Amino acid sequence: MHRMPDSNQFKLAGVMGMPIIQSRSPIIHNHWIGVHQLKAAYGHLPVQIDQVEAAVRGLAALGMAGCNITLPHKVKAMTLMDHLSPMAQRVGAINCIVVQADGSLHGHNHDGYGYIQSLKDEKPDWRADTGPITILGAGGAARAVIFSLIDAGARDIRLLNRSRDKAEQLAALNPSLVQVHEWSERHAALGGAAMLVNTTSQGMYDQAALDLQLDDLPLSAMVSDLIYVPLETPLVKAAKARGHMALNGLGMLLNQAVPAFEAWFGIKPVIDAVLRQKILATFN
Ligand code: NAP
């Protein structure tokens, strides 16, 4: 039996992964800890993949409030949870652990929540059901994005992935709402779309640009790239040049942190201008 933490206890949380030093999550959470003058801290937790079990099981013993989990630890950590949220079960990966008062571990996946909230932040009247949504990629991030778009009301999703079998597996979970197209048809799959979402890693700072011609995409369509390093991928740049509303993945990163902070520290934090400025400053 674990000791109940008393309310005056210094609270610790962090982000677990390897490599992890590049993570901006400590800036986000420590900003909110400062805003609310909490006796708490949030740090980087560099943990090798073969040490994930020992580290996760040690969270309660250390008296930690919980932690975020990033690649490549998201799937392994999920298997160690005592309880999983419905979204974590659907996505098949967790990005947040909340240590309960009795020491048990609850696993959550807030990526989808963060994604939808980031769209609403930029376009308050955004709706998921205004037309087809073309999604490129079928990895872990795509799973969270697709389920949250469906929950938000999306009724017509075109899914394309380089490895078609992964797209087929994902579409099979919602066959009436998600249609798979060949990767080679990605340019034409933009025709009539209300939204284009890039969930592939193409366009990241260390990757080639996404090979995509935007000619068929209606100018009214919103373009959303999950990548935020760089802040402006070649896709976002090209979309802006055509006049599209085009968003990067920074809003998703910031918004997924909100429910985690609330679960650990009991306060729903606000993504204020100072926080955005602190994060943007890390890109200089
Ligand atoms: P993942 O599970 O490894 O999936 C990678 C995806 O990219 C797969 O669909 C993969 O296709 C595709 N891909 C890789 N190389 C490609 C290429 N040369 N041509 C075409 N497609 C290619 O990774 P993930 O966790 O889903 O992350 C994907 C992206 O989302 C990353 O850039 C990540 O930074 C971003 N992300 C952002 C946030 C945020 O908070 N903003 C959160 C999570 C992820 P195959 O299946 O064919 O390999």
Side-chain angles (χ1 to χ4, degrees):
M1 190 62 185
H2 294 266
R3 241 175 346 119
M4 289 278 289
D6 82 63
S7 55
N8 274 327
Q9 189 188 327
F10 191 90
K11 283 193 171 182
L12 275 174
V15 57
M16 190 182 292
M18 185 62 84
I20 198 60
I21 198 67
Q22 79 292 347
S23 171
R24 290 168 171 84
S25 289
I27 297 172
I28 301 173
H29 289 283
N30 287 321
H31 171 73
W32 290 330
I33 286 168
V35 166
H36 296 287
Q37 298 184 304
L38 302 180
K39 285 188 281 184
Y42 182 107
H44 290 112
L45 304 172
V47 172
Q48 299 287 359
I49 189 77
D50 63 350
Q51 293 295 314
V52 172
E53 178 161 4
V56 166
R57 296 215 186 282
L59 291 172
L62 286 164
M64 291 184 69
C67 68
N68 285 123
I69 301 277
T70 69
L71 289 173
H73 298 9
K74 284 180 163 183
V75 178
K76 171 68 185 164
M78 187 183 78
T79 65
L80 306 169
M81 295 299 105
D82 299 300
H83 172 85
L84 289 172
S85 71
M87 188 51 111
Q89 286 182 31
R90 283 161 86 193
V91 175
I94 60 171
N95 80 335
C96 176
I97 298 174
V98 181
V99 181
Q100 305 299 301
D102 66 358
S104 62
L105 303 174
H106 286 200
H108 300 265
N109 192 311
H110 297 135
D111 281 339
Y113 165 85
Y115 181 64
I116 298 296
Q117 211 46 49
S118 72
L119 300 179
K120 290 181 177 169
D121 281 355
E122 297 297 329
K123 195 171 188 292
D125 64 347
W126 174 83
R127 292 175 57 109
D129 60 355
T130 56
I133 300 176
T134 300
I135 300 182
L136 303 181
R143 291 180 72 87
V145 163
I146 287 178
F147 293 134
S148 61
L149 282 170
I150 288 173
D151 289 353
R155 290 292 166 264
D156 184 358
I157 293 175
R158 302 168 181 168
L159 182 60
L160 302 93
N161 193 48
R162 179 180 61 173
S163 316
R164 185 178 172 123
D165 57 327
K166 272 165 72 180
E168 297 280 8
Q169 284 167 24
L170 193 43
L173 301 172
N174 289 281
S176 63
L177 304 179
V178 185
Q179 279 77 46
V180 175
H181 298 253
E182 271 298 324
W183 181 245
S184 59
E185 293 165 9
R186 61 194 178 281
H187 318 289
L190 304 181
M195 192 169 162
L196 161 65
V197 189
N198 175 40
T199 77
T200 77
S201 48
Q202 294 300 96
M204 277 185 79
Y205 68 97
D206 57 351
Q207 302 278 323
L210 181 67
D211 175 10
L212 184 67
Q213 291 148 25
L214 297 177
D215 308 60
D216 289 349
L217 188 67
L219 285 179
S220 56
M222 182 195 264
V223 174
S224 155
D225 198 328
L226 263 54
I227 295 169
Y228 56 88
V229 188
L231 287 170
E232 198 165 78
T233 59
L235 171 65
V236 167
K237 203 171 202 164
K240 282 184 177 169
R242 292 185 88 230
H244 294 277
M245 179 174 190
L247 310 179
N248 63 26
L250 202 51
M252 178 176 174
L253 174 75
L254 291 166
N255 276 288
Q256 61 76 33
V258 171
F261 188 89
E262 188 174 14
W264 298 323
F265 304 118
I267 296 168
K268 185 172 183 183
V270 172
I271 300 165
D272 57 23
V274 177
L275 173 56
R276 284 187 192 276
Q277 212 39 58
K278 283 183 183 174
I279 294 290
L280 287 175
T282 66
F283 290 91
N284 292 335

